[in-house]
Amino acid sequence: MNNKQSKLFEPVTELKGVGAKTATALASLGINTIYDLLFYFPFRYDDLETIPLDQIEDGQKVLLKGMVVTDPFVSRFGYRKTRLSFKMKIDHDIIMVNFFNQPWLKDKVESGKEVAVYGKYQVARQSLSGFKLVAEKRDSVFAPIYSVNRHLKQNKLQKLIDLALEKAINEVGETIPVSIREKYRLLSDRVLVEKMHHPKNGNEAKIARRSAIFREFFLFQMQLAQLLSQRNEDAPGVEKKYDLAAVKELIEEIPFELSDDQKKVVNEIFADLHSKRQMRRLLQGDVGSGKTVVAVFAIYAAVTAGYQAALMVPTEILAQQHFAKIDELLKPLGVRVVLLTGDTKDLEKKEIYRELADGTINVVIGTHALIRKDVHFKNLGLVIIDEQHRFGVNQRNTLIKKGDAPDILAMTATPIPRTLALTVYGDMAVSEIRHLPKGRKPVVSSWATSSKLREVLDLMRSQLDKGFQIYVVTPLISESEKSDLKNAEDLQAKIAHYFKDENVVLLHGQMKGDQKNEIMDSFAAGKINILVTTSVIEVGVDVPNANMMMIFNADRFGLSQLHQLRGRIGRGQTQSFCVFVSDPKTEIGKKRMNIITSTSNGFKLAEEDLKLRGEGDVFGKAQSGLPQFQVGDVVNDYNALVTAQKEARNLIKSDPDLTSPENKFLQEVLKYKKDLNNNYK
């Protein structure tokens, strides 16, 4: 795509005052270009229209304007906590205003001067907990609030977005054809961008968001429709004449009998492999249901037919785990299996590249390292993608294109309803493993508040005394100024202090791959008694002797993620225990704890998770098994998703290469998104 004339796709450093440091901060939010800035939308708005005191409900967020009648005073309490207080007169009433942990605002508040404060009002106390001081000169009473992080402040991001609007709003074209826009009463891209960032009122924001949701779904479905079109739905795949006698050897080698669900799915996959159409199948299975063994059968069948297989997973730990298990099963049958990740040494990488190209290697298991340009196959016939929702559409496609119409098996342990899966993942056939293998005992799950921590520690001690190992999971890695969550480093120190005679080790995602692997190997070998970790162990880690898990601040995780974490235990034949330590402050938080402790069925939990998210819950969204959208929600906005899919497929049928002048900007945006995904390392 030639975007030399367009300011839209220029890097953010083309904006005045944006240097390398600010660009890095923006990149941490996924913003790299002016286009990204323009389409980085607010997640909510603050209504900055003043309301009379007698019309305010208790706890309502409001803007109040009045005269400061006392000198501002800063008091200190607790550890590094401050309260800035002053009284403000509004008509004939005097209220107290408090700002917590913003002592620098003292210099901006002066007795005898007018001030406007946005905050939460408490009727009984006649007090306002201030969030921010608001400037008198405002273009709109409806202020956008964006998702930011510690690298970039709200005000700075708003200024940069305004700069981008000033510089490039006229460069924004139309991604949605006018016939579709008129049919569904949608705003043009240019108007929706302006209204999303600067709506005059709540109704304008609502109309703009409706259009933004459809646009986001439409672009996603266009990407899928293009992929389906490129593959050509009716084009033949390659029939794989696998060796049934050899497959029977594998059945005899596995030290357990496949469950009925596993047998059914293996037969479905074998039928796909043997057909002349390319397999595109999604395998949904609960944690611990045995999807990996099913994958082994698919891999071995492809290898006996003379093809290579590739298994791509999202994390180094999961890749290591899969490699150990698959190599153990297939090596005795003469299959060469290798591991390829970002941490693979350069010399070893070159050897792997060479042997993949000449066909010496039958199976490669790896992370994003598999989609690098250096990776070439002699005869790639099967692509398996595990936890496939963690990969972008184009990332998956990059691996698939390394073969000649290879069969595709996508797997996920975070199941979603079949109808939703078919809508989100295009034309993939859906297989399900709903039952756990025989002999598995359900994990005993319980919810404990912080006040019951001593009882939990006693249960941990009893399991340690029996020779078992324990996971302790916490949401954060290190101290966060904006959060009261227990962090892994602090927790590890406390657990180690309490269990002085045990080996307590910390594991988190920011460690180097070698270090993580070394810790996991030690844990698997029984050298570590208690592993304090973040959700980095959510997928793939399989240590049968670990029969207890304790999850701190459990209400901060989504149900699907809690279920994934719990799935790390209960791998042996003994009784396992999972304790969710949580003090939820909301009804949804309490509901989540009751649901997760009352059922171990991942499919049922997935339904409940979607219902809860439909009520506004955002925790664990990234682990829900669904693609991530910025403004759209596949549950609340399901009808828009289905409509977008229908219109995208119709457009690809009528203009497959998007050569119509009307679709020029759409083509540019899709190309930009594709390049962005392909540049992911």
Side-chain angles (χ1 to χ4, degrees):
M1 175 176 67
N2 182 5
N3 287 316
K4 287 181 181 175
Q5 288 75 39
S6 174
K7 297 173 184 174
L8 263 187
F9 301 98
E10 290 178 349
V12 287
T13 47
E14 291 298 314
L15 290 173
K16 188 178 178 182
V18 178
K21 187 177 178 183
T22 303
T24 301
L26 285 166
S28 71
L29 295 173
I31 299 170
N32 298 290
T33 64
I34 292 169
Y35 173 90
D36 295 339
L37 259 178
L38 290 178
F39 287 90
Y40 191 82
F41 294 138
F43 69 92
R44 68 174 173 84
Y45 301 88
D46 284 344
D47 188 348
L48 301 182
E49 190 166 11
T50 54
I51 303 174
L53 285 178
D54 59 3
Q55 292 180 23
I56 301 173
E57 296 179 9
D58 190 44
Q60 186 176 348
K61 292 175 184 175
V62 292
L63 178 74
L64 295 179
K65 287 196 288 188
M67 176 83 71
V68 179
V69 293
T70 62
D71 289 331
F73 175 74
V74 175
S75 57
R76 301 187 182 279
F77 64 99
Y79 180 65
R80 290 185 180 178
K81 292 180 180 177
T82 64
R83 181 192 293 113
L84 167 64
S85 306
F86 59 88
K87 289 184 178 178
M88 184 167 75
K89 184 178 180 183
I90 303 171
D91 296 328
H92 302 295
D93 295 293
I94 292 179
I95 69 164
M96 176 63 76
V97 179
N98 296 304
F99 280 95
F100 292 94
N101 303 319
Q102 299 185 65
W104 57 86
L105 292 179
K106 182 181 178 184
D107 297 337
K108 297 185 179 182
V109 178
E110 190 178 338
S111 183
K113 294 287 180 72
E114 288 275 340
V115 69
V117 182
Y118 182 74
K120 183 184 283 189
Y121 190 68
Q122 293 177 297
V123 174
R125 296 182 181 180
Q126 281 196 293
S127 69
L128 183 72
S129 292
F131 299 150
K132 62 183 176 182
L133 293 175
V134 179
E136 279 299 301
K137 293 181 180 179
R138 298 188 309 279
D139 296 330
S140 167
V141 296
F142 225 62
I145 303 297
Y146 301 87
S147 291
V148 291
N149 56 27
R150 62 190 177 89
H151 303 295
L152 198 67
K153 295 282 190 290
Q154 190 76 223
N155 289 344
K156 176 76 170 175
L157 179 59
Q158 288 181 8
K159 286 175 183 174
L160 292 171
I161 287 171
D162 287 343
L163 273 177
L165 284 165
E166 186 181 333
K167 179 181 174 78
I169 188 62
N170 291 329
E171 302 281 326
V172 175
E174 295 304 333
T175 50
I176 302 175
V178 65
S179 58
I180 298 175
R181 285 210 319 275
E182 288 177 351
K183 187 175 178 180
Y184 300 108
R185 303 188 308 281
L186 302 169
L187 301 178
S188 69
D189 278 19
R190 195 174 301 174
V191 173
L192 85 82
V193 167
E194 290 174 327
K195 301 289 187 193
M196 281 294 286
H197 292 300
H198 294 293
K200 290 177 182 170
N201 51 52
N203 191 49
E204 266 199 8
K206 186 178 178 182
I207 291 169
R209 182 166 289 273
R210 178 178 174 272
S211 293
I213 288 167
F214 186 90
R215 180 188 187 275
E216 186 174 36
F217 286 159
F218 182 73
L219 286 173
F220 174 75
Q221 292 292 353
M222 280 299 298
Q223 288 176 290
L224 283 180
Q226 281 186 323
L227 289 182
L228 295 179
S229 175
Q230 287 162 15
R231 293 173 190 160
N232 188 346
E233 207 163 333
D234 297 317
V238 180
E239 180 184 356
K240 293 175 180 60
K241 297 177 179 176
Y242 51 82
D243 186 337
L244 196 54
V247 171
K248 285 179 180 174
E249 280 183 48
L250 177 60
I251 294 172
E252 289 168 10
E253 187 194 318
I254 290 178
F256 53 83
E257 187 184 352
L258 296 184
S259 68
D260 290 342
D261 282 0
Q262 286 174 314
K263 289 175 184 174
K264 179 173 175 286
V265 173
V266 166
N267 285 332
E268 288 171 346
I269 290 169
F270 276 22
D272 285 347
L273 292 174
H274 203 265
S275 80
K276 293 182 179 179
R277 285 195 58 188
Q278 182 187 36
M279 173 171 73
R280 292 195 290 275
R281 186 168 291 277
L282 173 66
L283 172 55
Q284 298 198 124
D286 217 338
V287 284
S289 62
K291 294 183 300 300
T292 306
V293 172
V294 169
V296 168
F297 274 89
I299 289 168
Y300 190 51
V303 170
T304 66
Y307 294 89
Q308 292 168 297
L311 168 58
M312 185 164 70
V313 300
T315 67
E316 303 257 348
I317 287 179
L318 182 51
Q320 186 83 38
Q321 185 82 36
H322 274 323
F323 169 71
K325 188 179 289 184
I326 293 170
D327 187 48
E328 181 187 2
L329 289 171
L330 294 183
K331 194 173 184 178
L333 298 171
V335 178
R336 178 152 157 67
V337 185
V338 297
L339 176 69
L340 178 63
T341 71
D343 279 347
T344 305
K345 300 290 186 288
D346 286 345
L347 276 175
E348 193 181 345
K349 268 184 194 170
K350 287 178 182 175
E351 184 70 9
I352 289 172
Y353 294 158
R354 187 180 63 76
E355 293 191 344
L356 280 172
D358 69 19
T360 307
I361 292 171
N362 306 113
V363 185
V364 61
I365 295 161
T367 55
H368 295 85
L370 295 183
I371 62 176
R372 291 180 65 92
K373 290 176 182 175
D374 304 319
V375 178
H376 301 282
F377 294 84
K378 183 180 181 183
N379 193 15
L380 179 62
L382 175 66
V383 169
I384 302 178
I385 299 167
D386 199 11
E387 292 305 317
Q388 57 93 43
H389 59 279
R390 301 218 186 167
F391 296 98
V393 170
N394 290 310
Q395 290 167 354
R396 300 197 295 263
N397 199 39
T398 300
L399 180 57
I400 291 161
K401 280 185 172 178
K402 290 181 183 287
D404 180 16
D407 287 313
I408 304 152
L409 177 65
M411 304 196 299
T412 179
T414 50
I416 59 176
R418 180 182 287 268
T419 51
L420 192 54
L422 291 171
T423 307
V424 170
Y425 298 118
D427 71 336
M428 296 189 97
V430 179
S431 291
E432 294 176 345
I433 301 178
R434 286 184 167 265
H435 302 97
L436 294 179
K438 293 173 185 175
R440 287 274 175 89
K441 291 185 179 179
V443 175
V444 174
S445 299
S446 59
W447 164 27
T449 58
S450 298
S451 61
K452 303 282 187 183
L453 198 53
R454 173 66 62 174
E455 294 172 25
V456 178
L457 293 170
D458 288 345
L459 178 59
M460 288 175 69
R461 168 52 66 197
S462 71
Q463 295 306 301
L464 289 165
D465 288 346
K466 291 174 184 174
F468 293 113
Q469 294 160 276
I470 298 173
Y471 292 104
V472 176
V473 184
T474 183
L476 289 189
I477 293 166
S478 56
E479 195 68 56
S480 168
E481 292 178 1
K482 295 185 178 179
S483 175
D484 62 351
L485 300 186
K486 296 181 189 299
N487 63 80
E489 292 160 349
D490 183 43
L491 189 59
Q492 189 263 342
K494 288 178 180 174
I495 297 287
H497 179 74
Y498 188 84
F499 295 103
K500 290 188 174 71
D501 54 339
E502 307 290 350
N503 187 16
V504 183
V505 175
L506 174 64
L507 173 73
H508 61 73
Q510 290 182 7
M511 290 175 169
K512 290 183 179 178
D514 287 348
Q515 191 180 2
K516 284 189 282 193
N517 291 337
E518 188 180 332
I519 291 171
M520 279 314 307
D521 288 345
S522 294
F523 189 61
K527 296 174 185 175
I528 295 171
N529 307 99
I530 302 174
L531 186 67
V532 179
T533 177
T534 59
S535 57
V536 68
I537 55 97
E538 178 196 344
V539 290
V541 182
D542 189 353
V543 181
N545 193 52
N547 83 327
M548 183 174 179
M549 179 176 286
M550 181 175 164
I551 304 176
F552 273 92
N553 297 106
D555 58 305
R556 302 300 179 108
F557 292 100
L559 282 176
S560 294
Q561 193 177 19
L562 288 174
H563 187 53
Q564 281 274 344
L565 289 166
R566 177 171 60 186
R568 297 309 104 219
I569 58 174
R571 298 277 174 163
Q573 301 297 312
T574 56
Q575 184 61 66
S576 295
F577 304 89
C578 186
V579 183
F580 302 98
V581 182
S582 169
D583 301 290
K585 295 178 175 60
T586 66
E587 284 306 310
I588 287 179
K590 291 171 186 172
K591 273 186 190 176
R592 189 186 295 112
M593 291 302 97
N594 285 323
I595 292 167
I596 192 68
T597 52
S598 63
T599 182
S600 57
N601 184 311
F603 287 85
K604 190 181 289 185
L605 282 170
E607 296 276 3
E608 294 295 337
D609 205 8
L610 292 174
K611 285 180 193 172
L612 287 183
R613 292 203 310 106
E615 293 176 26
D617 174 40
V618 296
F619 292 110
K621 193 169 181 180
Q623 313 303 336
S624 66
L626 301 168
Q628 298 308 293
F629 296 102
Q630 193 200 348
V631 285
D633 183 296
V634 296
V635 182
N636 290 336
D637 309 311
Y638 182 66
N639 289 337
L641 178 66
V642 173
T643 305
Q645 183 188 59
K646 181 184 78 175
E647 295 297 348
R649 290 186 176 185
N650 286 342
L651 180 57
I652 285 294
K653 281 178 186 173
S654 62
D655 186 11
D657 299 319
L658 301 178
T659 52
S660 163
E662 180 182 36
N663 296 327
K664 184 177 183 298
F665 185 67
L666 170 60
Q667 187 184 48
E668 287 185 352
V669 170
L670 290 171
K671 177 72 164 62
Y672 170 67
K673 286 179 170 289
K674 184 176 180 180
D675 290 345
L676 205 62
N677 275 329
N678 287 343
N679 288 334
Y680 183 90
K681 297 293 182 223

